[in-house]
Amino acid sequence: MKTYGTYFQNDPDRPLCYGEVNLIDPPRRRLRGEPEKRGIEAVPVFCGFCGTDLELMRMGRRGELGAKFPAGEKRLINGHEGVVWVPSEDRFAIVLIRGGDSADPTRYTEDETYFEYGCDGADGIFCDKGFFHPDMLLHLPEKYAGLKKLPLSLAKKLVFSDPYACAVFQHERMCDIGAAQNFRVIKAKRGCSAAEAMERSYDATFERTVIFGLGTTGLFIGDQIRRNHPDARILFVARSAPDSKKARFAVEEFNCEYLCSNGLSEPQTAAAIVEALGGRASMFVGTSGSAVEHRVAFKEKVLGCNGIYNSFSLGPQITFDTMPFGFENHVIMASINFTRAHMQTAIRILCESRFDALTELIDKDEFTADPIGAYENKIYAPGAPLKTAVVWNETYIDRKV
């Protein structure tokens, strides 16, 4: 079966194209121990753009995408954020993008494999129709059963399902690491039982939290921390002006503080962070994609004793002086992706959120006419919206709601 969509290829001039593509439907396994299943047809309705797509396009320009293509193919239909319509089940669905021959595709080990729709080994959703594993088409909450047209406002929220699920996983991991890191300190200070210290450690982990970066990842992690730790002191740090849309959104929605670092040196940034928090950070979350964040945390000593550095930036290298790192008992952790349970939690939270305010649209014809130009000159150009999405199939969208 053929469809029209955008796809990556190894080409220095045309690493991303729009045109007719031959669809494939190999059997896939959602988890280790489950049977392989062929996909069922779904119609992409609303698609979001992710920074991963931009990086894959750059890899295609450098001829580095071979390992990402589906087996036997020389192209990959991109896109992994959005909502699809499943004709055979008469419902909307969110595609769970990661599966494979592993017990947990998020934490796969050396003898396991994985695939990701639109990213690695499996075609994504920037197309008129596609095939997806039937157990990886997640349901919307029960209140939306029977919906024939998706309200545009709801679509703008659900486009964040993947990154928000990632934030749910991030919070889970920070709690796991934080409890192990902090409970003995709390036990010694309070003279309490290990069980009580472990319970108290979850909130103590986020007592003074820095989130360095104001993209969707940072915002969603901040939302997760605030929802689960109401007394946490949260400080966002970024270059955006305090009156920018995303800075105001963070302050108002998450009851947090904001520091604009634009024009500040790294020592000045560090001093301002410590002053704003009333002490050094217990948790430092790096989401800016800049090497500045680790220098502020370690070299400028924003991260406090027994503090945790959660690296979520893709690209920067982290360096630190081993002497204070060891004596101050720092921990560096990292985690990406999510499980089905994280995605289901994300869908439920997003449906009741105000995150649609952060999504803006690009016209489909504008995008398909020049997908490379759209990525480079609009979607990820300076001053671009926090999230850009496209209505891929108007038939299933209600723009009035």
Side-chain angles (χ1 to χ4, degrees):
M1 183 168 68
K2 294 184 181 295
T3 190
Y4 279 86
T6 58
Y7 57 92
F8 295 123
Q9 61 182 2
N10 282 325
D11 189 299
D13 301 314
R14 301 178 68 241
L16 178 63
C17 301
Y18 174 76
E20 189 175 56
V21 186
N22 184 55
L23 285 175
I24 59 172
D25 183 25
R28 301 187 188 278
R29 180 173 286 112
R30 185 181 74 93
L31 290 176
R32 175 161 287 192
E34 294 184 354
E36 290 186 336
K37 294 183 180 181
R38 291 195 176 276
I40 59 175
E41 184 179 321
V43 178
V45 174
F46 192 80
C47 308
F49 298 91
C50 174
T52 300
D53 300 335
L54 180 63
E55 181 56 32
L56 289 171
M57 185 177 77
R58 291 168 175 166
M59 290 174 65
R61 186 169 276 150
R62 298 191 299 264
E64 300 172 351
L65 279 181
K68 300 289 186 181
F69 297 144
E73 300 295 320
K74 294 184 178 180
R75 89 294 173 279
L76 171 68
I77 298 174
N78 63 306
H80 56 276
E81 298 180 352
V83 187
V84 301
W85 173 258
V86 186
S88 62
E89 299 179 3
D90 203 32
R91 68 177 178 94
F92 292 102
I94 305 292
V95 179
L96 177 64
I97 69 165
R98 204 173 218 230
D101 185 21
S102 58
D104 177 355
T106 296
R107 306 284 293 277
Y108 77 100
T109 58
E110 291 80 3
D111 67 333
E112 299 178 335
T113 60
Y114 73 93
F115 67 88
E116 290 183 330
Y117 285 116
C119 297
D120 199 333
D123 288 328
I125 67 172
F126 274 107
C127 52
D128 293 346
K129 61 182 67 175
F131 293 105
F132 303 94
H133 192 293
D135 300 331
M136 297 174 68
L137 292 166
L138 303 185
H139 286 257
L140 273 59
E142 184 63 31
K143 65 185 287 186
Y144 299 108
L147 200 64
K148 303 300 182 185
K149 279 183 173 288
L150 190 69
L152 181 59
S153 59
L154 180 58
K156 287 182 173 182
K157 298 173 186 179
L158 291 172
V159 76
F160 291 117
S161 296
D162 285 24
Y164 197 97
C166 221
V168 176
F169 179 44
Q170 286 282 307
H171 174 255
E172 178 185 283
R173 288 273 287 148
M174 287 188 283
C175 286
D176 290 347
I177 301 299
Q181 169 78 338
N182 292 316
F183 87 95
R184 294 189 186 279
V185 176
I186 294 172
K187 182 176 181 292
K189 284 182 176 180
R190 293 182 172 271
C192 60
S193 68
E196 181 183 345
M198 184 70 75
E199 187 64 30
R200 289 179 179 272
S201 68
Y202 292 113
D203 286 335
T205 297
F206 303 99
E207 184 176 1
R208 292 187 299 274
T209 298
V210 174
I211 301 177
F212 209 93
L214 201 55
T216 54
T217 299
L219 288 174
F220 296 154
I221 290 175
D223 188 43
Q224 272 294 289
I225 294 173
R226 176 57 72 218
R227 286 174 181 271
N228 292 282
H229 310 277
D231 295 327
R233 192 159 191 176
I234 304 172
L235 175 69
F236 279 89
V237 182
R239 295 173 59 85
S240 301
D243 61 351
S244 65
K245 183 177 181 179
K246 54 187 178 181
R248 286 188 287 106
F249 187 93
V251 170
E252 295 167 4
E253 288 293 309
F254 313 143
N255 187 28
C256 69
E257 299 171 74
Y258 178 70
L259 171 65
C260 174
S261 62
N262 191 32
L264 298 180
S265 66
E266 291 173 14
Q268 289 172 329
T269 299
I273 291 172
V274 172
E275 181 179 3
L277 286 177
R280 294 166 71 188
S282 58
M283 173 65 69
F284 192 110
V285 185
T287 69
S288 71
S290 166
V292 171
E293 58 193 31
H294 78 87
R295 293 196 295 266
V296 168
F298 295 112
K299 182 181 178 182
E300 304 302 333
K301 295 186 177 299
V302 163
L303 189 63
C305 290
N306 304 300
I308 298 172
Y309 185 93
N310 181 6
S311 173
F312 200 82
S313 288
L314 300 180
Q317 294 185 356
I318 298 173
T319 60
F320 52 86
D321 186 336
T322 56
M323 181 70 80
F325 181 84
F327 275 92
E328 294 190 352
N329 293 299
H330 288 153
V331 167
I332 297 175
M333 59 164 284
S335 47
I336 297 176
N337 288 303
F338 44 82
T339 66
R340 178 180 180 136
H342 297 133
M343 179 72 98
Q344 290 169 323
T345 297
I347 292 169
R348 175 180 54 79
I349 291 173
L350 287 169
C351 286
E352 305 303 323
S353 76
R354 293 185 57 248
F355 285 118
D356 53 313
L358 302 177
T359 305
E360 298 186 22
L361 301 181
I362 185 173
D363 182 74
K364 181 184 176 183
D365 290 339
E366 178 185 358
F367 171 60
T368 57
D370 182 12
I372 295 175
Y375 271 102
E376 295 180 335
N377 302 321
K378 186 167 184 176
I379 299 168
Y380 290 103
L386 189 64
K387 171 64 72 175
T388 302
V390 59
V391 175
W392 198 266
N393 191 315
E394 289 280 356
T395 303
Y396 299 99
I397 289 287
D398 184 353
R399 286 184 177 262
K400 298 177 182 178
V401 187

